[in-house]
Amino acid sequence: MYPIFYFPYITSGWIIAILAVLHILPSHLVTSAMWFNVYIEWKAYKEKREELLEFVKKFTLLLLVFSYVFGSLSGVGIWFSTMASSPRAISSLIHNYVWGWATEWVFFIIEVLGVFTYYFTFDKVDRKTHLIIGLIFAIGAWTTMVIIVGILSFMISTGKWIENGSFFYGFFNRNYFPHLILRTIFMFSITALYAIFISNFVKNESAKKEVIRKASILGALSLVLFFPALFIYLNSIPSHSKEIYNLLVTPGLKIGFILPIILVLVYFILNLFTNFLTKTVPSLLMIIIIFLGIFAGERVREILRKPYVIPDYVYSNGIISQDHKAKGVISDVTKVSEGRGILEIFAFTPPELRNINEDNILKAGKLLAIIQCSSCHSLEESGVRPLKHHVEKMGFDSVEAAMEFLDLMGEMYVYMPPFLGNEMEKKALATYLISLKGGK
């Protein structure tokens, strides 16, 4: 057990979500941008169009500053926030995929060395060597995604890992390749948007038009392929995730995800006929629109995991749901089923709350709410899914009614982790929930 990181109003889950989406734009840009950059550079040499190199240099500078300064900082932010809000899930991932992350870091170092070497060796090495440096950079950047997608897919489908604890059984689960293909296709649309934006800072009109045309074709093609790839991806998720998708992904959220994709696709197509929309402000606006689409898409992906962060193993509140014999892990559920309360096995329970009585029942109930509910629900009167609002919405009129609801969590409400604790702890949590109605 680790201490609970509670972030008032916003909840720790949303802190991770916001940082993750901010990280996607620079990280996905870098995984694809160099393929486009190397192609434009190769085209400049082959067709003797030196004016195209101005774009290549400016696009590389964007990568260096945006992806490797802002992107690196946001990546560190994700590590800090996930370790603080879901330490047991991160611990489980690291114990299983430490060599995966080590491998990813090797390629990340190649990336970092690659961007500096590529940018600062313009006109200092021969052209063939410079293209090879660019290709090594591009391959290194994409390979980091090949590895990370394995871990992200594992958080949707653990495959047979739960049975044997095997690195590769979990990594190459049925969701892996559809997920990798979907992200690989989508990353080129992000590159195309940024390329069009940067083209506004290229002085040569001929080079600017060429870059816009090539980027628009690339972006349109990637988004046309995106829809069948998305269909294949959704068919690769486990049956439980499909049930959650049908239950919780609202029409508004679907529109919030798909509409930006369609708008950006139309934008790319229009750019093939007019340059009006490629100016600085419209092109920046399209980057914001794709950002909103990514936010909605990542929200859907998070929903698909409910009530887990690692399917069939770690719930969203950090409670371990079942034993893992191959890893020698005894779950919290097993410990509580042996007669111990959750406050007893939680190492940071204040001594005065380990034995619940009428004097401390409200404080014990609040601690239980922090342990079991606060990763998704605000304990304040407002914020993200405030408990007070849900208690009033459900119409609980007694402690007994709230206890009956806690019994149904995980069964009737399949997107919520089941309540874990003994009868006295259940009564304490129910008492705290009822107290919220009066704003106490």
Side-chain angles (χ1 to χ4, degrees), residues 365-395:
K366 184 174 183 179
L367 178 58
L368 286 161
I370 291 174
I371 294 172
Q372 303 210 33
C373 312
S374 68
S375 60
C376 298
H377 295 279
S378 162
L379 269 59
E380 286 68 40
E381 292 194 4
S382 58
V384 176
R385 307 185 202 93
L387 277 180
K388 174 181 169 63
H389 170 76
H390 284 272
V391 168
E392 292 174 345
K393 184 179 177 182
M394 297 294 287

Side-chain angles (χ1 to χ4, degrees), residues 59 103 116 130 179 198 201 219 243 249 290 367 386 403 405:
F59 202 31
T103 307
F116 281 98
H130 198 256
H179 194 170
I198 290 297
F201 302 96
E243 182 183 359
V249 179
I290 202 77
L367 178 58
M403 290 177 72
F405 168 78

Side-chain angles (χ1 to χ4, degrees), residues 16 20 23-24 27-28 78-79 82 90 93 97 101 104 144-159 170-173 175-177 179-180 183 233 237-238 241 298 301-302 304-305 308-311:
I16 297 173
H23 183 66
I24 282 179
S27 63
H28 279 52
I78 290 175
W79 271 106
T82 51
I90 289 297
L93 291 173
Y97 289 115
W101 263 305
E104 188 251 347
T144 61
M145 189 171 77
V146 169
I147 298 167
I148 291 302
V149 164
I151 299 171
L152 292 177
S153 298
F154 173 77
M155 295 172 74
I156 292 290
S157 170
T158 52
F171 192 91
F172 292 111
N173 59 78
N175 182 244
Y176 174 71
F177 286 107
H179 194 170
L180 179 61
R183 285 190 184 263
Y233 171 82
I237 61 177
S241 295
E298 287 299 304
R301 193 173 65 83
E302 291 295 318
L304 295 179
R305 298 201 310 232
Y308 298 97
V309 284
I310 298 177

Side-chain angles (χ1 to χ4, degrees), residues 9 31 41 48-49 56 59 74 83 85 90 101 127 156 169 192 236 310 312 323 369 372 379 397 399 423:
Y9 297 101
T31 53
E41 185 183 4
K48 302 186 187 309
R49 297 183 62 183
V56 176
F59 202 31
S74 60
M83 284 191 293
S85 63
I90 289 297
W101 263 305
R127 293 177 170 183
I156 292 290
Y169 272 95
S236 73
I310 298 177
D312 302 320
D323 298 349
Q372 303 210 33
L379 269 59
D397 55 4
V399 170
E423 284 300 308

